[in-house]
Amino acid sequence: MKKFKLYFDKEEEEQWLNEMCGNGWEMKGFFMGVYQFKPCSPGKYIYQVDLPDIKGGMGEWDRKKRAYIDFVEGTGAEFVCSWGFYLIFRKEADQGEFKLYTDAESKMKLYQRIRCLLLGVGLFELWLSIFQTWNYLNFKAHVSSPGLNLVMLCCLLLVYAMTGTMFTMVVKITKKICQLR
């Protein structure tokens, strides 16, 4: 089974993955918002989404990522997949609770990494929305095709929606960090 969902909140994503597993669907993969599932016994796994503190160039990042995955797998967890900088792990529920971050300090650092990533994406989206607005206004002045104007306007609105989503998530995560302090 495949399901399309976009999550910008790791807790909501974990909750949904754990609910899917509770309904007898284990996650097998993820690509661009499309989650792949296969049947399993209900509640077999507990899922955790992570943005590990890994720095370095691509070759170095890949080595550190593999070492981190090996470390987490050493606790009895299983690496499911990655998307960008995010990693998804699971552990069989009958092995007990599964949390990657258990203390306030490590949770704060995780949220700070997520906030930094979302802020970077949000700033890029803001630049893109300004650039697209200029393109739209310039294009609209020179082209009389209502269909093309509508397509460009829809694309522009999508970019603005993504920009708003990123900054909304930055505020939401900042509140979580403040609560942990």
Side-chain angles (χ1 to χ4, degrees):
M1 172 175 55
K2 293 181 180 181
K3 287 200 172 232
F4 178 79
K5 287 218 179 234
L6 290 177
Y7 281 104
F8 299 101
D9 185 311
K10 85 172 222 64
E11 281 85 19
E12 289 177 13
E13 183 177 18
E14 287 170 349
Q15 180 181 354
W16 180 71
L17 289 172
N18 289 315
E19 286 173 6
M20 288 296 293
C21 189
N23 293 327
W25 294 98
E26 71 177 82
M27 180 185 176
K28 295 305 293 176
F30 175 85
F31 183 72
M32 292 186 67
V34 178
Y35 293 82
Q36 299 170 3
F37 295 93
K38 77 172 196 174
C40 70
S41 56
K44 182 176 180 179
Y45 297 105
I46 299 169
Y47 288 87
Q48 286 283 286
V49 178
D50 193 10
L51 180 66
D53 187 15
I54 300 174
K55 294 175 179 68
M58 286 312 274
E60 184 181 0
W61 194 87
D62 287 339
R63 283 189 299 280
K64 288 179 178 181
K65 173 183 157 185
R66 183 72 250 169
Y68 181 75
I69 290 169
D70 291 342
F71 168 75
V72 174
E73 288 183 329
T75 68
E78 175 186 358
F79 172 67
V80 179
C81 66
S82 66
W83 175 249
F85 299 107
Y86 283 91
L87 307 176
I88 299 177
F89 295 96
R90 69 181 177 197
K91 192 171 187 176
E92 290 194 16
D94 61 8
Q95 293 181 9
E97 186 179 47
F98 177 43
K99 293 278 185 197
L100 292 172
Y101 299 91
T102 56
D103 64 291
E105 184 67 28
S106 64
K107 285 180 186 177
M108 274 193 331
K109 288 180 181 178
L110 169 66
Y111 289 135
Q112 287 167 346
R113 289 192 300 273
I114 293 170
R115 180 178 61 184
C116 185
L117 177 65
L118 292 175
L119 184 59
V121 172
L123 290 171
F124 174 74
E125 291 286 340
L126 178 62
W127 172 83
L128 193 59
S129 63
I130 293 167
F131 181 73
Q132 283 296 96
T133 300
W134 181 83
N135 277 342
Y136 174 73
L137 295 173
N138 191 37
F139 180 81
K140 187 176 178 183
H142 299 295
V143 177
S144 61
S145 170
L148 233 46
N149 281 333
L150 182 61
V151 168
M152 293 229 11
L153 180 61
C154 289
C155 290
L156 180 60
L157 293 174
L158 180 63
V159 173
Y160 275 111
M162 287 299 296
T163 303
T165 300
M166 292 300 120
F167 288 121
T168 299
M169 287 307 303
V170 166
V171 169
K172 187 176 178 181
I173 290 171
T174 300
K175 288 178 182 178
K176 287 182 183 185
I177 292 169
C178 290
Q179 288 172 350
L180 286 169
R181 287 189 180 144

